[in-house]
């Protein structure tokens, strides 16, 4: 069974496409969990419309995305666990491809490609990560929505760090890498990621969090960490100014 966790807050215009992308998957052994942070718009009304397809959902105030992730993990019982945030979508047959990869290979977690789109649904490019080898100086090396791991990985690594408001996925990955779990790159487009989410909005503080998390890792070059963070901030600033 695959547990899918969606966290959401006030996303009445985008939560439905996320839910539909999960429940319409060809692979059906799915435990779908939605954690709402206490939405004040119509988000919970949309969720209720799909209640028959959802194993568990709740709507209560939380302490941010990391806390919401952890609430979802506490309810997850699947053999594999993945997270897709409200607004993003799972592509057709994504879970079947993930299931086949896990059954045909010996590894603990996988990651794949994500299609980057703008809010007009125009495809910008495919985010195709390189194989994770060594320390990921460039920050998160793949989209978090393409990360699927065995429950053993999550149980061993622990919860997402609630002190991180944006780069919690990067900090979590660093703990995964420290434990030497076996990884697998699935060269398929698994999700659609829409530009303009939390990490894009808070890119400056997000890069500072990446720096903080990086410095907890052994034998890391401080200058390379700072250099990559400054480069990422500059590139994102230019893109936003010129609307690239």
């Amino acid at each position: 069974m695959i547990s899918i966790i969606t966290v959401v807050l006030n996303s009445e215009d985008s939560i439905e496409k996320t839910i539909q992308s999960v429940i319409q998957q060809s692979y059906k052994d799915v435990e779908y969990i939605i954690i709402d942070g206490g939405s004040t718009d119509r988000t919970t009304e949309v969720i209720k419309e799909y209640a028959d397809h959802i194993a568990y959902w709740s709507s209560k105030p939380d302490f941010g995305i990391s806390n919401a992730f952890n609430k979802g993990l506490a309810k997850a019982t699947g053999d594999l666990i993945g997270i897709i945030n409200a607004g993003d979508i799972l592509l057709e047959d994504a879970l079947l491809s993930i299931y086949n990869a896990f059954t045909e290979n010996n590894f603990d977690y996988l990651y794949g490609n994500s299609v980057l789109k703008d809010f007009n649904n125009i495809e910008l490019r495919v985010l195709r990560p390189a194989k994770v080898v060594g320390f990921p100086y460039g920050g998160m090396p793949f989209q978090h929505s393409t990360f699927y791991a065995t429950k053993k990985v999550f149980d061993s690594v622990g919860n997402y760090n609630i002190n991180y408001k944006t780069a919690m996925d990067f900090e979590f990955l660093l703990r995964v890498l420290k434990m030497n779990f076996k990884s697998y790159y699935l060269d398929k487009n698994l999700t659609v990621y829409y530009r303009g989410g939390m990490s894009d909005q808070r890119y400056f503080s997000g890069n500072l969090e990446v720096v903080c998390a990086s410095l907890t890792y052994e034998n890391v070059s401080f200058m390379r960490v700072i250099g990559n963070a400054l480069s990422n901030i500059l590139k994102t600033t230019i893109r936003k100014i010129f609307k690239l």
Side-chain angles (χ1 to χ4, degrees), residues 42-108:
R42 292 188 61 260
T43 294
T44 56
E45 295 177 34
V46 176
I47 294 172
K48 288 176 183 177
E49 292 176 7
Y50 294 92
D52 291 344
H53 302 278
I54 301 169
Y56 173 86
W57 75 276
S58 66
S59 181
K60 298 178 182 178
D62 53 45
F63 301 105
I65 297 174
S66 297
N67 183 221
F69 284 166
N70 295 338
K71 286 183 177 182
L73 290 175
K75 295 296 182 180
T77 63
D79 305 293
L80 307 175
I81 301 174
I83 296 174
I84 183 158
N85 293 334
D88 298 332
I89 65 174
L90 274 174
L91 288 171
E92 185 178 0
D93 294 328
L95 294 187
L96 181 60
S97 297
I98 290 166
Y99 166 78
N100 288 336
F102 270 98
T103 55
E104 295 169 4
N105 301 276
N106 180 27
F107 56 87
D108 302 297

Side-chain angles (χ1 to χ4, degrees), residues 135 137 178 214-221:
F135 184 82
Y137 278 101
K178 287 179 180 179
S214 298
L215 297 181
T216 68
Y217 208 86
E218 295 180 0
N219 302 318
V220 170
S221 168

Side-chain angles (χ1 to χ4, degrees), residues 165-219:
K165 306 304 180 184
T166 304
M168 71 290 291
D169 51 355
F170 180 74
E171 192 276 337
F172 183 87
L173 176 64
L174 292 187
R175 284 185 278 141
V176 171
L177 296 178
K178 287 179 180 179
M179 300 188 75
N180 296 315
F181 285 111
K182 293 181 180 179
S183 66
Y184 180 79
Y185 168 43
L186 179 59
D187 189 8
K188 289 184 69 70
N189 297 343
L190 301 177
T191 65
V192 173
Y193 169 72
Y194 286 89
R195 178 174 282 173
M198 189 67 69
S199 60
D200 195 42
Q201 295 173 28
R202 300 180 179 177
Y203 68 96
F204 186 83
S205 60
N207 275 283
L208 291 182
E209 289 185 357
V210 167
V211 171
C212 292
S214 298
L215 297 181
T216 68
Y217 208 86
E218 295 180 0
N219 302 318

